[in-house]
Amino acid sequence: MAELGALPRWDMTPVFPSLESTEFRTSFDRATAEIQALVPVFEAHGVRRRERADVDTAVVAAFEEVTGRLNSLSLELRVLRSYIHAFVSTDATNEAAQSLQAEFEAGAVTLEQLRIRYTAWVGTMDVEALVAQSPVAREHEFVLRKSQVQARHQMPEGEEALAAELLPAGLSGWARLHDSVTALLTVPVTVRGEARTLPMSAVRSLANDPDREVRRAAFEAELKAWEGVSVPLAAALNGVKGYQQVVRRRRGYTDDVEPTLLSNNVDRETLEAMQAACIEAFPDFRRYMRAKARALGLERLAWYDVSAPVGKGARTYTWDEAEGFLREQFGQYSDRMAAFADRTFRERWTDAEPRPGKQGGGYCMPVRPGESRIFVNYDGSFNSVSTLAHELGHAYHNLALEHRTALQSRTPSTLAETASIFCETLAVDAALKGTEGEERLALLEASLQRDLMVVVDIHSRFLFEQRVFERRAERELTPREFNELMLQAQRDTYGDGLDPDALHPYMWAVKGHYYGPTFYNYPYTFGLLFGLGLFARYQEAPDGFHAGYDDLLSSTGMADAASLGQRFGIDVRGVEFWRSSLDVIRKTISEFESLVSQLESAGKR
Ligand SMILES: [Zn+2]
């Protein structure tokens, strides 16, 4: 990839000189010792569910000490976790880093048990009295009020401790089974006349191939391979959903969605308003799918056409060009954002170079306060430039949280995508300017492909999971039943946009999300639509937007989504706001449709 210029690897040395350094070891040992030191402190102060809510000066003093120590410990642990992960994720052969990660996670179990006790403790205090007497409590008022609700939903202390201790062997054991089976899965497939055996990930990425025969062959080979491992994966999924349901019921939540609303800082009204607006937009997404079929010269899209490329790929960007482009576009927004992008490039926060042993995908992780590291596999396509913009958005969000405590910065997934979608939209908008014809078509298509995933496919995942929970309450499901529920969820969402005989019954085996947190995906729909809605507000009235926006980002762990939205006149509980965000996508769909027609009639296709 010489034509892209030298791709940076991230510089971790400002944090610690190396994994083997005394500085790292000292910090690691200090954090581990502090976790252990907190155990007697918790005992001495009786940090657990309280029988009486009243608060006196001794309680206030204990509250301030314990909260302060938990906050500083969490910050130190975050640096260590990110630092170790920086090596694990870029070098699969680094066994030392992997052992440290395992050692780190083992220590984290004790801390998790303490955190549960802390929630029970502060959740059973008289919050009004505490806030009146303690400045620390005032700064953490949202966390305290949330803890009150969480504390009502805790099992007795011993049972919560048992659940936390069983987690690695129970819930996460099933997830690791899914990971290992999937990672080791190889698939015999014939590509362009050549019989080969490829890893599942490579077969799945053939979905982007321009040749339909290749996509179809890969799809059929993929389904066959999933069928071969469907028994252990179904056992894993039954295990995960069964575990989650038992714990949820014991915690006294009315249904399986309720705990996720609490952890995402949204209420049911908000989720339902958002989903109603999404369902209303499904016919528009079907228009997009029909137009894409036309662009590909097909009657109707099959599942394996959804990721097919359309149009002529936009120009490629060398690394220097990507830096220049993003610096300029962020500069259109504000000098602060441009200066920030510059800092990340100058201090080499990004690991951009794809190489053997490095994981796939992209993410951004916070390190020290205000400082992040960005992980991408840069290939010069506009897609990877917009991924970089997205991850820089997360880093900008971390900067906004620089002066918050660990407890104040706990941002739920719903709000964690606000800044990333905002920056991604800045980049896409800029790239579209002055682009026409096939190149414009490709850019619009890439953007709509993302929207289709986040709005339509994620809703299918929600329906699937909800129906799985319903049946799982009675008994375990067979692989065939998982398949049937998946097909039904796809029909209910993609509708006639896709060929009903070419759907993907094994998406429950593909997506690791089903083996992780409950209803992992819908917060991303929230994130996309909230980010798009904010961007629309910015375009309507750029003056005075900036300070409010930075303030919002710095408060994502300190208020629920509804109150944060209100600051911008956004009512997340009403369908209207979500509809207006989806209107932005509708506009893109209409433009895509007319561009396809235009290119057709010009005989260019
Ligand atoms: Zn993101």
Side-chain angles (χ1 to χ4, degrees):
M1 259 184 279
E3 72 276 12
L4 297 178
L7 295 176
R9 295 185 181 194
W10 51 31
D11 181 10
M12 298 307 297
T13 55
V15 186
F16 297 111
S18 72
L19 273 179
E20 296 76 28
S21 65
T22 335
E23 290 88 338
F24 172 79
R25 206 5 100 178
T26 308
S27 172
F28 191 94
D29 292 344
R30 190 174 54 226
T32 313
E34 173 67 358
I35 296 175
Q36 293 313 320
L38 279 176
V39 177
V41 172
F42 270 54
E43 285 305 319
H45 291 312
V47 179
R48 51 168 46 97
R49 179 176 296 278
R50 303 175 82 230
E51 297 307 322
R52 294 173 47 207
D54 63 314
V55 170
D56 57 21
T57 47
V59 172
V60 170
F63 165 78
E64 293 192 342
E65 186 201 337
V66 171
T67 304
R69 284 179 76 165
L70 272 182
N71 271 330
S72 27
L73 176 61
S74 301
L75 286 184
E76 184 155 19
L77 288 172
R78 191 177 74 190
V79 176
L80 289 165
R81 175 185 282 122
S82 296
Y83 187 77
I84 298 168
H85 192 66
F87 295 92
V88 172
S89 62
T90 52
D91 180 9
T93 62
N94 192 332
E95 288 180 22
Q98 285 166 20
S99 316
L100 277 168
Q101 194 170 48
E103 196 183 332
F104 183 92
E105 295 308 332
V109 171
T110 307
L111 184 63
E112 187 48 33
Q113 291 169 333
L114 294 178
R115 283 204 180 112
I116 292 167
R117 282 172 61 178
Y118 177 80
T119 301
W121 187 51
V122 299
T124 47
M125 283 183 194
D126 178 349
V127 172
E128 315 296 333
L130 188 63
V131 165
Q133 293 175 58
S134 161
V136 178
R138 267 194 296 287
E139 286 162 12
H140 293 89
E141 188 171 347
F142 177 71
V143 178
L144 297 178
R145 299 205 180 276
K146 189 170 168 177
S147 299
Q148 286 197 305
V149 185
Q150 287 168 323
R152 277 204 294 279
H153 286 291
Q154 277 188 358
M155 300 180 283
E157 187 181 317
E159 288 168 37
E160 283 292 347
L162 177 64
E165 208 172 329
L166 279 178
L167 212 57
L171 201 55
S172 21
W174 290 119
R176 277 196 305 280
L177 175 66
H178 174 267
D179 272 2
S180 317
V181 168
T182 309
L184 293 172
L185 197 55
T186 55
V187 187
V189 59
T190 302
V191 183
R192 286 178 261 273
E194 193 192 336
R196 306 170 64 181
T197 299
L198 297 173
M200 180 53 97
S201 56
V203 173
R204 280 191 49 76
S205 63
L206 290 173
N208 305 313
D209 198 282
D211 182 345
R212 192 173 201 227
E213 267 320 296
V214 171
R215 296 196 302 270
R216 195 185 52 78
F219 176 73
E220 285 170 2
E222 184 197 330
L223 291 191
K224 227 181 172 146
W226 288 123
E227 191 183 355
V229 292
S230 61
V231 170
L233 293 185
L237 193 53
N238 276 308
V240 168
K241 296 299 143 198
Y243 182 106
Q244 289 170 335
Q245 201 160 48
V246 168
V247 173
R248 184 275 294 169
R249 212 174 45 233
R250 290 225 171 202
R251 287 185 177 143
Y253 289 104
T254 50
D255 64 18
D256 301 290
V257 178
E258 196 185 4
T260 72
L261 297 171
L262 184 61
S263 57
N264 280 304
N265 297 355
V266 293
D267 50 27
R268 204 174 292 266
E269 216 181 331
T270 301
L271 175 64
E272 283 173 0
M274 180 188 89
Q275 290 185 327
C278 288
I279 292 168
E280 204 179 87
F282 288 169
D284 300 295
F285 281 99
R286 291 170 196 153
R287 282 198 287 130
Y288 153 63
M289 290 186 271
R290 281 194 291 276
K292 176 161 181 172
R294 269 198 293 140
L296 291 169
L298 303 171
E299 197 124 318
R300 193 139 59 152
L301 295 185
W303 185 275
Y304 51 83
D305 299 317
V306 170
S307 309
V310 164
K312 195 164 78 357
R315 52 165 290 206
T316 56
Y317 294 73
T318 65
W319 179 258
D320 284 346
E321 286 167 343
E323 279 191 3
F325 173 79
L326 292 176
R327 190 183 292 121
E328 189 187 330
Q329 298 321 320
F330 288 1
Q332 303 281 339
Y333 173 76
S334 77
D335 292 343
R336 180 175 144 90
M337 202 182 263
F340 174 70
D342 248 344
R343 178 178 169 207
T344 72
F345 298 139
R346 204 174 49 240
E347 297 179 7
R348 284 201 291 129
W349 286 10
T350 305
D351 200 292
E353 180 199 42
R355 53 188 182 274
K358 179 174 169 178
Q359 294 174 2
Y363 67 84
C364 170
M365 60 183 177
V367 191
R368 297 179 294 196
E371 184 185 339
S372 304
R373 288 297 182 276
I374 291 165
F375 178 101
V376 289
N377 282 284
Y378 190 77
D379 66 6
S381 66
F382 179 72
N383 215 351
S384 68
V385 177
S386 74
T387 303
L388 182 60
H390 179 105
E391 303 308 338
L392 280 166
H394 282 299
Y396 186 77
H397 193 166
N398 293 337
L399 176 73
L401 291 165
E402 185 172 13
H403 301 293
R404 299 300 188 194
T405 66
L407 282 166
Q408 288 171 331
S409 335
R410 286 198 163 180
T411 298
S413 310
T414 34
L415 298 166
E417 294 302 320
T418 309
S420 54
I421 293 296
F422 194 91
C423 283
E424 193 182 323
T425 311
L426 271 177
V428 172
D429 246 41
L432 276 170
K433 276 190 195 112
T435 313
E436 49 185 35
E438 294 279 349
E439 218 177 296
R440 189 173 183 84
L441 193 68
L443 286 174
L444 294 172
E445 213 282 319
S447 174
L448 289 172
Q449 224 184 89
R450 174 199 70 182
D451 300 338
L452 180 74
M453 273 306 110
V454 178
V455 178
V456 179
D457 198 68
I458 284 185
H459 196 69
S460 83
R461 299 178 204 181
F462 184 88
L463 293 177
F464 170 78
E465 196 165 342
Q466 205 173 32
R467 291 164 184 170
V468 166
F469 271 125
E470 273 167 30
R471 299 233 195 142
R472 186 65 187 79
E474 293 153 27
R475 59 171 173 81
E476 296 205 340
L477 285 82
T478 64
R480 183 196 292 273
E481 287 172 314
F482 283 128
N483 287 354
E484 281 164 6
L485 288 180
M486 184 52 79
L487 292 175
Q488 189 57 47
Q490 288 168 1
R491 282 193 292 267
D492 291 346
T493 47
Y494 289 93
D496 61 8
L498 288 183
D499 178 353
D501 297 322
L503 299 173
H504 197 313
Y506 282 104
M507 283 310 286
W508 60 269
V510 175
K511 290 284 168 200
H513 302 153
Y514 294 118
Y515 304 78
T518 310
F519 293 106
Y520 174 83
N521 286 284
Y522 77 78
Y524 288 86
T525 313
F526 185 109
L528 173 70
L529 298 178
F530 192 70
L532 286 180
L534 266 181
F535 192 79
R537 291 286 198 280
Y538 160 64
Q539 281 182 317
E540 279 160 25
D543 295 333
F545 179 87
H546 301 76
Y549 176 67
D550 285 353
D551 189 49
L552 173 110
L553 294 181
S554 79
S555 312
T556 48
M558 297 172 70
D560 60 26
S563 338
L564 290 173
Q566 253 166 28
R567 297 186 187 179
F568 283 87
I570 291 171
D571 174 17
V572 294
R573 296 194 180 100
V575 180
E576 204 45 54
F577 167 70
W578 303 107
R579 203 175 275 150
S580 73
S581 292
L582 285 155
D583 280 344
V584 177
I585 300 174
R586 284 190 185 94
K587 243 176 78 190
T588 313
I589 292 175
S590 299
E591 202 201 330
F592 180 78
E593 281 183 304
S594 53
L595 195 51
V596 170
S597 304
Q598 212 181 309
L599 291 167
E600 250 174 0
S601 62
K604 284 185 183 155
R605 298 195 67 88

